[in-house]
Amino acid sequence: MTSHLKLSDFDFTLPSELIAQYPAAERSASRLLDGRASLAIDRRFTELPALLQPGDLLVLNDTKVVKARLFGQKSSGGRLELLIERVLSPSADAGHEVAAHMKVSKKPLPGAVMQMDGGFTATLLGRWPNNDGPLYHFALSSDPYALMESHGHVPLPPYITHTDSADDESRYQTVFAKHPGAVAAPTAALHFDEAVLSRLEANGVQRATVTLHVGAGTFQPVKAENIADHVMHFERFEVPPSTLQAIADCKARGGRVVAVGTTCVRALESAAKFGPECRDTNIFITPGFDFQVVDLLLTNFHLPKSTLMMLVSAFAGYEHIMGLYRHAIEQRYRFFSYGDAMLLQRAAPRRTSPETIDPC
């Protein structure tokens, strides 16, 4: 059946009140839907350490969300919004250049200088990565990271309706965030606090990291009914040699690789498929994909008809995932970035997905 799945097959009706607008009072206070077996079990996230085994390897994405949403105005006075997707050259001698999404009523021409809130400027250089690229190429008047930190706003997902606050600055960020560059949080990792991490370590669960800077394309809607026609966005990532060695050691001792979030899956499976030297990936994981690394997946609940719904369906099986989502809705789980979590086990058999292309 999976080879004939269309976009509409990944749709479901979600009551709007189940979209979590705010995080749980405490990070680890969320619910956890244990979907490893055919029968779903309702648990609490604090039970996770007991569900893993000594010798398992927990892989976390240590990217750090930057305050990438900036506001300003054109010379005509029209308001605009920039969402910095990628810092291309932070230093002055390289131009303080960035690639960004731009929301404005009428697009300015290359050379236009925008006066941004906070007293800095953004000069439009053209499109990126080429003349027909989906993003805009800007030169900022000073260090992009410093400007975002001082004048930017937390890039909350479009389904979160409140204006970002100081609470979002801390809670839309993992406790182990290290490398700045993401415009969306690796949300499955938001549930971890130091107490849960300590219990996992005490139970003999080892830990490793990858870095994948989540892009705004993670919210890009799939428009093609034939999902093979969808073109994925690129994201920067790195799987360090120490993590590759930890994975090899884990497999050798019979442990399981536990990916925290779809971003970890994309990074690990991209490195396995295209080689560890690969640094940009647009891997499209759909049912039939041949998983080479990940054995268990901890993930949040995803948007209907999204590429992430396709990824988890590829991992745990389409029918199983749709059943778990029906259960989650019936049991009033909280959905999306600030919502609850789910633990999945890789399904078999596995076949190579023909729509995956080498981006490197």
Side-chain angles (χ1 to χ4, degrees), residues 26-340:
E26 298 178 4
R27 287 183 181 269
S28 60
S30 296
R31 299 168 71 187
L32 175 65
L33 179 56
D34 185 351
R36 292 174 298 165
S38 57
L39 181 63
I41 302 175
D42 300 310
R43 301 185 185 274
R44 309 302 301 183
F45 189 81
T46 49
E47 296 180 64
L48 178 66
L51 304 181
L52 302 185
Q53 301 168 2
D56 285 347
L57 178 69
L58 191 74
V59 183
L60 304 161
N61 184 0
D62 64 5
T63 187
K64 185 175 183 178
V65 178
V66 293
K67 294 191 286 186
R69 181 166 283 125
L70 302 168
F71 296 91
Q73 62 184 31
K74 299 185 295 180
S75 58
S76 63
R79 296 291 292 173
L80 80 154
E81 175 186 334
L82 301 183
L83 181 64
I84 307 260
E85 175 85 13
R86 185 175 296 202
V87 174
L88 303 174
S89 52
S91 62
D93 57 354
H96 297 315
E97 295 178 11
V98 300
H101 302 266
M102 178 167 54
K103 185 184 295 184
V104 65
S105 59
K106 184 178 180 181
K107 296 292 191 296
L109 297 175
V113 179
M114 270 60 77
Q115 300 295 323
M116 306 301 294
D117 296 355
F120 65 99
T121 62
T123 302
L124 179 60
L125 304 178
R127 304 296 288 256
W128 190 87
N130 51 49
N131 291 336
D132 298 317
L135 301 179
Y136 291 86
H137 189 182
F138 285 93
L140 305 186
S141 54
S142 60
D143 175 43
Y145 289 113
L147 290 174
M148 286 188 285
E149 182 60 31
S150 297
H151 308 296
H153 293 263
V154 179
L156 294 174
Y159 46 76
I160 292 180
T161 57
H162 67 266
T163 303
D164 65 303
S165 66
D167 190 47
D168 293 305
E169 286 190 35
S170 62
R171 294 300 302 275
Y172 196 63
Q173 193 82 269
T174 66
V175 297
F176 42 78
K178 183 177 181 181
H179 302 292
V183 300
T187 57
L190 295 178
H191 305 283
F192 287 89
D193 55 23
E194 294 300 338
V196 170
L197 290 171
S198 295
R199 287 176 55 208
L200 285 162
E201 183 177 2
N203 288 0
V205 176
Q206 299 193 14
R207 194 188 316 173
T209 60
V210 300
T211 304
L212 184 141
H213 295 309
V214 192
T218 192
F219 303 113
Q220 177 185 351
V222 180
K223 298 179 180 179
E225 179 62 16
N226 181 359
I227 61 176
D229 294 334
H230 178 68
V231 178
M232 288 288 289
H233 60 290
F234 278 89
E235 292 171 316
R236 292 172 296 159
F237 80 101
E238 180 180 5
V239 180
S242 58
T243 295
L244 294 174
Q245 185 61 55
I247 291 169
D249 294 343
C250 175
K251 297 288 188 181
R253 64 176 173 262
R256 302 170 299 177
V257 174
V258 185
V260 177
T262 57
T263 61
C264 278
V265 174
R266 287 168 56 78
L268 293 173
E269 297 296 337
S270 292
K273 191 171 186 64
F274 307 126
E277 69 282 354
C278 187
R279 289 295 181 268
D280 272 272
T281 183
N282 68 339
I283 193 170
F284 190 10
I285 298 179
T286 61
F289 182 82
D290 183 15
F291 290 92
Q292 300 179 48
V293 180
V294 180
D295 301 300
L296 292 175
L297 169 60
L298 181 75
T299 184
N300 278 21
F301 295 95
H302 304 294
L303 291 165
K305 298 196 292 186
S306 64
T307 59
L308 302 183
M309 275 294 292
M310 298 168 195
L311 185 154
V312 296
S313 296
F315 186 81
Y318 171 78
E319 296 289 354
H320 184 53
I321 285 294
M322 299 310 288
L324 290 174
Y325 271 64
R326 287 191 295 271
H327 176 90
I329 292 170
E330 290 169 359
Q331 297 301 314
R332 312 293 290 178
Y333 276 73
R334 301 168 75 244
F335 274 65
F336 307 156
S337 294
Y338 278 152
D340 296 315

Side-chain angles (χ1 to χ4, degrees), residues 13-19 329 332:
T13 300
L14 180 69
S16 60
E17 65 270 18
L18 297 186
I19 300 175
I329 292 170
R332 312 293 290 178

